[in-house]
Amino acid sequence: MTDLQLIKKRIYEEKRIKELLELLECTGIVTEQRGKLYVATLPDGENSRSVQVKNNDSLGSSIRSRNVNGDIYAVVSYIVYGAKSEKEMSDSLPKSKYWICNKLGYTEYVDEFFK
């Protein structure tokens, strides 16, 4: 299992999805589908269901109003780093990993490059 997968699994197991959305400054965070889905509003948005994160260890995610699909790293790439295209999302993946690890205190997953 890769670090990226381990981080997502840990977020899920530690029940930190809501906390991560709060750190991204999303608002109106609620669960739907009997807790299987987190939905929220983008920091600069109006759609209360725009950001969606599945409550499982893959953290499949989307930003419906911006046509962003992937996982929690895609959401971080879009909100924090302004990545819009697949290439931009891919290029910002290491930064998104670092951002999540830094915010949640998962320093054991941070590469020496970022330290």
Side-chain angles (χ1 to χ4, degrees):
M1 193 174 278
T2 68
D3 279 357
L4 297 173
Q5 292 168 317
L6 288 169
I7 293 164
K8 290 189 294 186
K9 184 176 180 185
R10 186 167 170 187
I11 292 166
Y12 167 70
E13 288 176 349
E14 293 179 0
K15 299 179 180 2
R16 296 184 81 179
I17 298 170
K18 182 178 181 184
E19 177 184 353
L20 189 53
L21 291 170
E22 289 170 343
L23 290 167
L24 287 165
E25 298 182 9
C26 291
T27 58
I29 304 163
V30 296
T31 58
E32 293 184 353
Q33 301 175 5
R34 296 185 203 164
K36 293 181 182 178
L37 183 70
Y38 279 86
V39 298
T41 307
L42 282 168
D44 63 349
E46 296 176 9
N47 184 335
S48 64
R49 299 186 76 250
S50 184
V51 180
Q52 300 192 355
V53 181
K54 291 183 180 175
N55 190 12
N56 59 38
D57 63 5
S58 69
L59 300 184
S61 304
S62 66
I63 302 176
R64 294 181 50 185
S65 61
R66 307 295 161 86
N67 201 28
V68 172
N69 295 296
D71 59 17
I72 196 66
Y73 299 108
V75 172
V76 172
S77 291
Y78 180 86
I79 294 174
V80 177
Y81 300 106
K84 294 181 180 147
S85 69
E86 279 189 43
K87 179 168 180 6
E88 290 172 334
M89 296 263 176
S90 178
D91 290 348
S92 65
L93 182 59
K95 292 189 292 186
S96 295
K97 173 188 170 188
Y98 173 76
W99 188 91
I100 289 171
C101 289
N102 186 46
K103 294 291 184 179
L104 297 180
Y106 298 165
T107 56
E108 66 271 24
Y109 301 108
V110 176
D111 302 17
E112 288 301 315
F113 171 79
F114 287 107
K115 289 182 180 175

